[in-house]
Amino acid sequence: MYHKEPAIVFSDQDIAIMNAVDYIFRQASHRLCKWHINKNVVKHFGKLNQDKYFKNLWYKCMNGCESEEQFDSCWTRMIEEHNLSENKWFCTMHNLRKRWSSAFTCDKFSRGLHATSRSEVTNKVLKELCSTTSTLHDFVIGFERMQKSWRTREYEEDALCRGMPGMLVQITSILQQVGEVCTRSVFKLFEYEAVNCISIDLTEEPPDLNDKTLEFKLSSRTSMTGIRVVKINQFTKFGSCSCHLWETDGIICRNLFRVYLHFNQHRIPDAMLLNRWRKDSKQRIALCDKLFDSAGPNRFNNMVFGNHNTKHVHDLLTEYKDDSSCRAMIHESITKLIDAVQSSSGQRMDNTMDTGVEQCFKEPLVRPIKNLVSLKKRPYRRMRLSKDRETRGYDGTSTLDTMQEAAETDEAIRRTQQGSDQGYYPSFDDSLDRFYVD
């Protein structure tokens, strides 16, 4: 990963994994899988499993709190009303609250991922490809078929993203900007928030509109979400909301849409449209201006540069591998490129491509067997068995077979000795694999 740590790591509350993640990925946000937590709460709730009021408070602490103050208020009320202050499991979960509560996990992008479902889905897909009786060949064929279907759906989605998507309503030109830049599925998410912004009311405006940062308070007429606070920079028009939808999912919420409509804003800052949502995200990575940055390479540039050029070379070799003239041309071009780069950089590679290719064609696939004379001294297994039978009192009916096999052995050794001087190397047809070789 080019020494780049993941932003978020999910685990199932295993102590060893938690300690390892905290030690290795020091900058990552380590979170607990909410699916595993909800699965374990059944045995810890006991009689409270039938209490809907208690379960509502629990789920609000997990998913409904937007600030630390809301979490503390809700948790205190849940613990005091149900006498759980001495419960060890609830005390442990309170100590780990920053790993599972939405009040503490809304500062980094996760796209709504709250569990280890991604790895579980991967395991499910791999299990469907094979069974306990499947061979490695069957697994590879099934995986390639699955991968081909993924690529086909990806190409179809790329084709559907060309042009402008159909819009339900023409609310604002911001949606048109999103439709031109983002993919079709992401546009639907923006459109959903834009349509629902009509149910948002401005309850309080900033007293001084000349300030650099303006603060608005909004409320919804259709949901009991309370008061939401929106802060927007008057000059850059970059905004944030207390619901943290943009921080976690990269989608502009309905509250921000409402404030933009209030300002009669026609466009949003490009920084609020993440690169991962853009139609040209692949081209943006391939044509990144920082790939040839004069300030010097960094880890990200090296990764993108290597992946981009490796893909080009791989596609070229795969396309023309059956054409002998193209293969010679590709080999000659790469050899000249290596020499040019080495002469320009002043460094010399230990194993050049030309030497490696020549070595592959010059070296035999089967190495010559040394000390062929010593092989002749080592008797064949059946000869030993036949002699043992004769000494044990057998009538000697296998003597003819033994003599014939001995003659075949001498002939094979003679052919090998003659062929080794002429560049010939033994194959499996010579039956040399039947010798005893120390």
Side-chain angles (χ1 to χ4, degrees):
M1 296 175 63
Y2 290 87
H3 306 284
K4 184 178 180 181
E5 295 185 1
I8 301 174
V9 178
F10 286 94
S11 67
D12 57 355
Q13 206 174 346
D14 183 81
I15 301 300
I17 295 178
M18 293 174 63
N19 294 334
V21 170
D22 293 342
Y23 179 77
I24 299 298
F25 304 123
R26 300 181 183 273
Q27 304 298 327
S29 176
H30 184 197
R31 302 178 184 180
L32 300 180
C33 174
K34 293 186 178 181
W35 184 86
H36 286 90
I37 294 177
N38 292 328
K39 184 180 179 181
N40 294 330
V41 295
V42 177
K43 61 182 180 181
H44 294 287
F45 282 179
K47 297 180 180 180
L48 296 175
N49 284 309
Q50 307 300 327
D51 193 339
K52 294 184 178 180
Y53 176 71
F54 169 78
K55 296 179 73 173
N56 289 335
L57 291 176
W58 167 259
Y59 290 123
K60 184 177 180 181
C61 291
M62 179 176 289
N63 302 314
C65 295
E66 299 176 355
S67 62
E68 186 175 356
E69 292 77 12
Q70 292 183 6
F71 175 83
D72 292 339
S73 176
C74 185
W75 182 269
T76 302
R77 183 171 51 176
M78 179 183 67
I79 295 299
E80 291 179 354
E81 292 182 1
H82 298 86
N83 299 323
L84 299 173
S85 57
E86 297 181 358
N87 189 293
K88 294 183 179 180
W89 186 81
F90 281 94
C91 293
T92 302
M93 295 305 298
H94 184 265
N95 294 333
L96 299 173
R97 62 189 182 276
K98 293 185 179 181
R99 300 181 186 271
W100 55 268
S101 176
S102 60
F104 305 94
T105 59
C106 57
D107 56 335
K108 290 187 177 182
F109 179 84
S110 62
R111 190 54 193 96
L113 192 65
H114 303 294
T116 57
S117 55
R118 184 171 184 178
S119 61
E120 299 295 340
V121 171
T122 303
N123 295 335
K124 180 178 180 296
V125 171
L126 295 178
K127 288 180 180 178
E128 292 177 352
L129 295 178
C130 59
S131 61
T132 55
T133 59
S134 300
T135 62
L136 181 60
H137 178 266
D138 296 335
F139 173 77
V140 173
I141 295 299
F143 181 77
E144 290 181 349
R145 189 183 301 111
M146 178 71 71
Q147 192 178 37
K148 184 178 180 180
S149 64
W150 292 343
R151 296 292 180 262
T152 302
R153 290 198 298 267
E154 184 178 356
Y155 294 148
E156 292 176 353
E157 186 65 24
D158 289 343
L160 292 174
C161 288
R162 297 174 182 173
M164 280 291 298
M167 292 187 289
L168 295 176
V169 288
Q170 297 286 345
I171 296 180
T172 174
S173 56
I174 295 179
L175 279 183
Q176 185 175 359
Q177 176 191 359
V178 175
E180 293 173 352
V181 175
C182 299
T183 60
R184 186 182 58 158
S185 57
V186 175
F187 172 78
K188 295 298 181 183
L189 299 176
F190 277 91
E191 186 180 44
Y192 177 79
E193 296 295 329
V195 170
N196 285 275
C197 77
I198 59 178
S199 63
I200 304 298
D201 295 329
L202 284 171
T203 58
E204 184 178 341
E205 296 185 16
D208 188 4
L209 296 178
N210 296 324
D211 293 342
K212 181 179 179 180
T213 302
L214 305 179
E215 182 175 314
F216 296 85
K217 292 184 179 180
L218 304 94
S219 62
S220 175
R221 298 192 300 267
T222 58
S223 61
M224 304 297 295
T225 55
I227 301 297
R228 294 285 173 79
V229 179
V230 172
K231 296 181 180 181
I232 186 170
N233 190 301
Q234 187 175 3
F235 304 103
T236 62
K237 304 302 179 183
F238 192 92
S240 63
C241 180
S242 59
C243 68
H244 303 288
L245 183 63
W246 187 83
E247 287 80 1
T248 57
D249 290 16
I251 305 297
I252 297 178
C253 66
R254 59 195 66 179
N255 304 301
L256 269 175
F257 268 110
R258 181 66 180 85
V259 174
Y260 285 141
L261 286 177
H262 179 73
F263 276 105
N264 213 8
Q265 186 76 17
H266 298 289
R267 295 185 64 87
I268 59 176
D270 291 337
M272 300 197 71
L273 297 177
L274 303 183
N275 292 335
R276 65 173 67 237
W277 302 146
R278 296 175 179 267
K279 299 177 182 179
D280 59 346
S281 58
K282 298 179 182 178
Q283 289 79 3
R284 288 175 65 87
I285 293 177
L287 303 177
C288 182
D289 296 335
K290 296 182 180 180
L291 288 179
F292 308 100
D293 190 0
S294 59
N298 54 43
R299 297 182 183 127
F300 176 76
N301 295 343
N302 293 338
M303 178 180 63
V304 176
F305 179 80
N307 294 342
H308 175 59
N309 290 280
T310 301
K311 180 181 182 299
H312 278 313
V313 175
H314 177 268
D315 293 343
L316 186 65
L317 297 177
T318 304
E319 182 71 20
Y320 301 102
K321 63 181 179 181
D322 297 330
D323 193 334
S324 58
S325 60
C326 293
R327 291 175 60 176
M329 187 184 303
I330 293 173
H331 170 60
E332 183 180 358
S333 301
I334 295 179
T335 304
K336 292 181 179 179
L337 178 62
I338 292 176
D339 294 338
V341 172
Q342 289 175 350
S343 61
S344 176
S345 62
Q347 298 178 358
R348 189 71 181 172
M349 296 174 59
D350 295 335
N351 296 320
T352 61
M353 182 178 177
D354 190 22
T355 305
V357 173
E358 292 180 357
Q359 194 73 7
C360 291
F361 284 101
K362 288 181 179 180
E363 288 189 358
L365 297 178
V366 181
R367 297 181 181 275
I369 300 179
K370 298 180 180 180
N371 300 327
L372 291 175
V373 179
S374 63
L375 290 177
K376 188 175 181 180
K377 298 179 181 179
R378 299 184 179 121
Y380 183 58
R381 181 182 298 179
R382 289 189 179 180
M383 294 175 61
R384 288 182 174 179
L385 294 177
S386 300
K387 291 182 179 180
D388 291 342
R389 289 176 180 175
E390 292 178 1
T391 56
R392 292 177 184 176
Y394 289 96
D395 56 358
T397 54
S398 60
T399 305
L400 182 62
D401 296 336
T402 303
M403 294 175 61
Q404 183 177 358
E405 291 171 358
E408 293 177 356
T409 302
D410 294 338
E411 179 66 19
I413 294 177
R414 185 184 62 79
R415 290 173 55 193
T416 306
Q417 289 175 337
Q418 294 178 355
S420 60
D421 299 334
Q422 302 174 2
Y424 168 81
Y425 300 98
S427 62
F428 289 104
D429 297 335
D430 296 319
S431 303
L432 292 178
D433 56 325
R434 299 184 295 176
F435 288 109
Y436 283 95
V437 181
D438 296 334

